[in-house]
Amino acid sequence: GQVADEQIVAAYDDMDAIDDLGRRTDVVTYEFENIAIASVERLERNGCAVAPGSDVLRITQNRLLEKTFLRSHGVPVAEFAAVVSPQDTDEACRTVGFPMVIKTCSGGYDGKGQWRVSDAAGARRALSEAKGAELICEAFVPFEREISVVATRNAADRVVTYPPGENQHDGGILAMTIAPARVSEAVASRARAMTETIARNLEIVGTFCVEYFLTKDGELLVNEIAPRPHNSGHYTMNATVCSQYEQHIRAICALPLSTPQLIRNAVMMNILGAGQGDQLCGVDELLRDPSVVLHIYGKRHAVARRKMGHFTMLTADPIDESAIERARTTHALLGWKPAAN
């Protein structure tokens, strides 16, 4: 909206606006999967090029379909079971076991629509709080690290993968990504290979991300697929030759993909709103560090926990605990206050 020549403001399921978008556009894409699939299908029926397509969206916007798809292609996932009715709860508890995480099948992100439960009573409470939403029960995975692989596939079936990033969360929201992830080369290679398998079987066109749990035993389990450029791939904007966003445009516009090259190691830190004002303070102090690149998204209101921007700290050295602590100290320079009248 800040840079486009034209902007259509309407609901995702406003079919008149969707038709208008199709008439004005050569290629349609999206950066958020919780949209009306009927709108994507309508664009496709009208002959508009949409990437990723509706088949990809149908699978990835529903956790149960996504996990079933992954399992059908031999990709490891945690044990799971569907909860469509209250009668399914006890069977899901027996199948999955405790502790478990109960999630809405669609609509949730950044930790929303999720309940961690340790007994049948907790499962029934989650079912009540979900108010009739379709649910999936997943075994809780005591993982050692969460890593993610950002990748891009084009219509000619070429897949390129970025180095895995290591993710740390705060209350379900991504707080930090370390690139490359602090894992063995064998684990990194396996994660990239699994991501390529997913890309080809999903037949996605564009940039996407696969999140993995790495267990203490070295097992990789897919947590979820995001069919779009991903927050954990923001480091590619400054640490690689071709960012995840440029790769996405190359893929959907049938331009050659660029082999990802990491030119600096990176720590990416999200900047979240605090609900205490809309003016970001501490920017001057942060920018005195020549290794830091700041990105502010231009959102007007810094609502609590809203992603307002990020910065990436670049280094030629391996990321160690001292580098992570320096990134956290840098992040602590920032704060929010009410804007001056």
Side-chain angles (χ1 to χ4, degrees):
Q2 296 168 358
V3 299
D5 294 325
E6 297 181 73
Q7 183 177 11
I8 301 170
V9 180
Y12 291 133
D13 57 356
D14 183 331
M15 293 304 169
D16 290 335
I18 289 294
D19 290 344
D20 189 20
L21 175 65
R23 284 190 295 269
R24 299 192 198 192
T25 310
D26 295 316
V27 180
V28 173
T29 189
Y30 46 88
E31 51 80 50
F32 178 66
E33 61 266 37
N34 291 326
I35 58 178
I37 194 167
S39 298
V40 178
E41 292 172 333
R42 185 174 181 117
L43 287 165
E44 291 173 335
R45 285 196 302 271
N46 291 341
C48 188
V50 186
S54 60
D55 289 342
V56 171
L57 185 62
R58 184 178 297 103
I59 291 170
T60 56
Q61 71 177 192
N62 183 289
R63 288 188 172 98
L64 181 58
L65 293 180
E66 183 177 273
K67 288 291 194 299
T68 303
F69 162 83
L70 290 165
R71 179 176 281 176
S72 71
H73 291 286
V75 178
V77 295
E79 187 64 54
F80 67 91
V83 177
V84 179
S85 68
Q87 292 73 32
D88 297 331
T89 306
D90 291 340
E91 178 61 29
C93 291
R94 285 191 293 270
T95 301
V96 175
F98 296 107
M100 69 164 66
V101 181
I102 299 178
K103 304 176 182 179
T104 55
C105 283
S106 59
Y109 63 97
D110 285 345
K112 298 179 177 67
Q114 298 187 19
W115 299 263
R116 181 178 172 182
V117 299
S118 57
D119 53 34
R124 287 191 288 271
R125 282 195 300 273
L127 188 67
S128 175
E129 292 174 11
K131 298 179 179 178
E134 184 185 14
L135 301 173
I136 181 173
C137 297
E138 300 179 12
F140 176 76
V141 178
F143 58 91
E144 184 177 78
R145 299 184 193 279
E146 181 190 291
I147 67 173
S148 59
V149 178
V150 172
T152 307
R153 177 183 177 271
N154 64 15
D157 200 31
R158 186 186 177 207
V159 182
V160 297
T161 58
Y162 286 91
E166 176 185 339
N167 303 322
Q168 298 184 13
H169 291 79
D170 176 9
I173 298 178
L174 182 67
M176 173 193 297
T177 296
I178 300 162
R182 295 172 296 171
V183 297
S184 68
E185 182 54 39
V187 167
S189 296
R190 189 152 34 102
R192 295 171 87 153
M194 289 168 63
T195 303
E196 289 187 24
T197 296
I198 293 168
R200 293 198 161 96
N201 285 287
L202 197 57
E203 296 185 352
I204 190 170
V205 173
T207 291
F208 69 103
C209 178
V210 183
E211 297 178 359
Y212 296 92
F213 293 137
L214 175 64
T215 71
K216 293 180 180 179
D217 297 330
E219 185 179 15
L220 280 173
L221 302 173
V222 173
N223 179 31
E224 65 181 24
I225 306 168
R228 51 174 168 77
H230 193 258
N231 194 176
S232 69
H234 285 356
Y235 78 87
T236 67
M237 298 170 68
N238 304 111
T240 68
V241 174
C242 182
S243 77
Q244 63 169 345
Y245 294 102
E246 182 179 336
Q247 292 278 31
H248 184 67
I249 298 303
R250 288 185 181 213
I252 68 175
C253 294
L255 296 168
L257 299 184
S258 172
T259 301
Q261 301 175 58
L262 191 65
I263 55 178
R264 284 288 187 274
N265 298 327
V267 180
M268 188 282 298
M269 301 285 293
N270 268 334
I271 301 169
L272 304 181
Q276 298 175 349
D278 300 327
Q279 182 174 333
L280 183 62
C281 307
V283 171
D284 286 1
E285 293 86 345
L286 180 139
L287 292 179
R288 289 193 179 99
D289 186 337
S291 70
V292 169
V293 186
L294 176 65
H295 296 269
I296 299 297
Y297 302 156
K299 299 175 182 178
R300 291 185 178 181
H301 299 297
V303 176
R305 311 289 287 168
R306 188 183 192 191
K307 294 173 183 174
M308 301 299 295
H310 73 272
F311 70 81
T312 303
M313 187 183 75
L314 302 169
T315 177
D317 300 321
I319 303 297
D320 57 15
E321 289 301 326
S322 65
I324 293 170
E325 184 56 35
R326 187 160 69 87
R328 289 194 174 113
T329 301
T330 302
H331 189 274
L333 296 171
L334 300 173
W336 296 94
K337 71 176 183 180
N341 294 328

